[in-house]
Amino acid sequence: MHSQLPIDFRQTIVAQHPERLSQIRYLLADSGLGLDNDITLFVEAWSGPQLVGCAGLAANVIKCVAVDEKLRGANLSARLLAEVENAALARGHFHLFLCTRPCNKERFARSGFWPIAQSGNNAVLLENTPQGIERYCRSLQRSRKCGEKIGAIVMNANPFTLGHRHLVEQAATQCDWLHLFVVREDASFFPFSDRLEMVRAGVAHFPNVSVHEGSQYIISRATFPSYFLKETGKVQQAWSEIDVLIFRDFIAPTLGITHRFIGSEPFCDITRQYNQTLHQLLAAEIDVVEMPRIKATGNAISASEVRRLLKTQQFSRIREIVPESTFVHLEAHYSASAEVA
């Protein structure tokens, strides 16, 4: 019987044993899955000399769960999930997320994962507690402000530019209160702590703005699990829709948000598509206000331009497109003289 097969569970730290990934890749490919490159640990299930199952862990996100088709129905995926959850707990990760195809939702529900948001037939995001999103909303509730017009901006601020400040200024002028969320994940050029510091310094003079540390319910495109979606377009659509649905159904009602402010996007197709998703999914309940980017020296200001100039230490040009508070931070931490010091 399947359930009596002797299974040996092993853990592989990817950085220490990259050579073991080849067999994992084959197993994932047999299930129509790819391999996300941010996974740091795999739990492997072995039946004798054969790899028959795997489950990956990237921080507190479970990814790449696959079982050999000959062993499906033997409860192996549940055992793999239990093993990878134990590995996560041992590393201090108690709140876990999992993203998968919607057709797998019931299977993971039986292992204690609750759905948060779903993007059509592309993807569903789950977490290992029925109270996770409610607990987050209760913590946000303390920041709720009175007013008829309550705005929100979500930004990566990589780094915080004059364009970001202009968007905040325009939104704050139009609102009774503005909630500003800084995307949390360290998947950008500047670490989260630096980006948060630059944003806080850059908006400190606005009396009606709250700056919030982003949570895992504000999802970074860079860390969105995409191993089960082959097409780039579907990855983008799934990430956009799940992120926007969580904002619409949980974050906005908790804070009484009536308006979401965004900057127009002349450079990045992905961000432009995300903006379209915001318009489509929020239109019935929340006004989406898209503002044109301001220009400096004839060009639209972008954080990517700041990063490009930083690589060649062109601080005089950087000064033209960032607030003084950002400039002071960059000069203190990223100039060649600062590195030498």
Side-chain angles (χ1 to χ4, degrees), residues 137 140 144 150 152 181 246-258 282 285-286:
C137 288
L140 277 184
R144 187 176 176 121
I150 305 296
F181 295 87
I246 292 173
F247 178 83
R248 184 191 74 187
D249 297 341
F250 297 101
I251 296 171
T254 298
L255 292 172
I257 290 166
T258 59
L282 299 186
E285 299 160 51
I286 298 167

Side-chain angles (χ1 to χ4, degrees), residues 23-315:
Q23 285 178 284
I24 292 172
R25 286 182 195 276
Y26 283 123
L27 180 64
L28 290 170
D30 285 343
S31 297
L33 303 175
L35 175 63
D36 273 13
N37 60 12
D38 59 347
I39 293 174
T40 57
L41 176 143
F42 268 103
V43 171
E44 304 164 8
W46 291 81
S47 177
Q50 186 180 3
L51 179 67
V52 294
C54 67
L57 189 65
N60 68 332
V61 181
I62 296 173
K63 301 181 172 187
C64 296
V65 181
V67 172
D68 187 298
E69 62 178 345
K70 295 190 289 294
L71 294 183
R72 288 173 196 164
N75 204 35
L76 184 53
S77 62
R79 293 169 69 189
L80 272 166
L81 276 175
E83 292 286 337
V84 79
E85 283 188 78
N86 286 336
L89 291 173
R91 285 157 177 77
H93 299 301
F94 301 97
H95 185 196
L96 305 177
F97 292 87
L98 189 155
C99 202
T100 186
R101 297 184 181 112
C103 61
N104 295 325
K105 183 164 60 174
E106 297 307 318
R107 176 159 64 99
F108 289 117
R110 290 193 293 272
S111 292
F113 281 81
W114 280 262
I116 305 169
Q118 181 171 328
S119 167
N121 293 319
N122 287 329
V124 57
L125 180 68
L126 307 100
E127 60 182 341
N128 68 334
T129 168
Q131 286 99 31
I133 188 70
E134 285 84 1
R135 193 161 52 235
Y136 173 63
C137 288
R138 283 198 301 273
S139 72
L140 277 184
Q141 183 74 35
R142 296 192 289 269
S143 299
R144 187 176 176 121
K145 302 291 183 179
C146 296
E148 289 184 13
K149 192 168 181 180
I150 305 296
I153 296 174
V154 177
M155 63 173 59
N156 200 30
N158 187 34
F160 187 74
T161 67
L162 287 174
H164 292 115
R165 192 179 71 180
H166 176 74
L167 179 62
V168 173
E169 183 176 35
Q170 293 299 305
T173 301
Q174 296 179 37
C175 293
D176 297 304
W177 200 269
L178 178 67
H179 295 280
L180 174 53
F181 295 87
V182 182
V183 174
R184 186 176 197 96
E185 284 91 349
D186 278 327
S188 305
F189 180 90
F190 296 95
F192 170 68
S193 57
D194 281 20
R195 290 184 289 107
L196 183 65
E197 183 182 328
M198 285 185 275
V199 171
R200 281 182 167 155
V203 304
H205 59 293
F206 296 114
N208 62 334
V209 176
S210 295
V211 178
H212 299 270
E213 296 185 17
S215 74
Q216 288 188 297
Y217 298 106
I218 295 174
I219 303 165
S220 164
R221 184 180 72 247
T223 58
F224 180 76
S226 57
Y227 60 92
F228 56 92
L229 295 168
K230 292 271 187 292
E231 300 166 38
T232 303
K234 284 189 176 180
V235 174
Q236 169 66 16
Q237 181 184 353
W239 161 68
S240 299
E241 290 184 358
I242 286 175
D243 182 74
V244 174
L245 287 171
I246 292 173
F247 178 83
R248 184 191 74 187
D249 297 341
F250 297 101
I251 296 171
T254 298
L255 292 172
I257 290 166
T258 59
H259 290 70
R260 173 85 179 250
F261 293 87
I262 57 177
S264 62
E265 183 46 68
F267 304 112
C268 177
D269 290 340
I270 291 173
T271 304
R272 193 156 51 242
Q273 186 187 327
Y274 178 78
N275 285 353
Q276 290 171 2
T277 303
L278 284 167
H279 283 292
Q280 291 163 4
L281 295 182
L282 299 186
E285 299 160 51
I286 298 167
D287 288 333
V288 179
V289 182
E290 188 163 351
M291 296 182 175
R293 290 204 184 201
I294 61 168
K295 295 185 176 182
T297 62
N299 299 311
I301 294 172
S302 74
S304 59
E305 175 67 3
V306 177
R307 297 193 300 273
R308 188 186 70 78
L309 293 169
L310 198 58
K311 287 176 182 174
T312 50
Q313 297 284 293
Q314 297 184 61
F315 279 91

Side-chain angles (χ1 to χ4, degrees), residues 316-333:
S316 60
R317 292 183 60 190
I318 289 173
R319 189 165 221 153
E320 297 172 350
I321 56 177
V322 301
E324 184 63 21
S325 54
T326 296
F327 182 80
V328 168
H329 182 97
L330 296 179
E331 195 172 45
H333 295 88

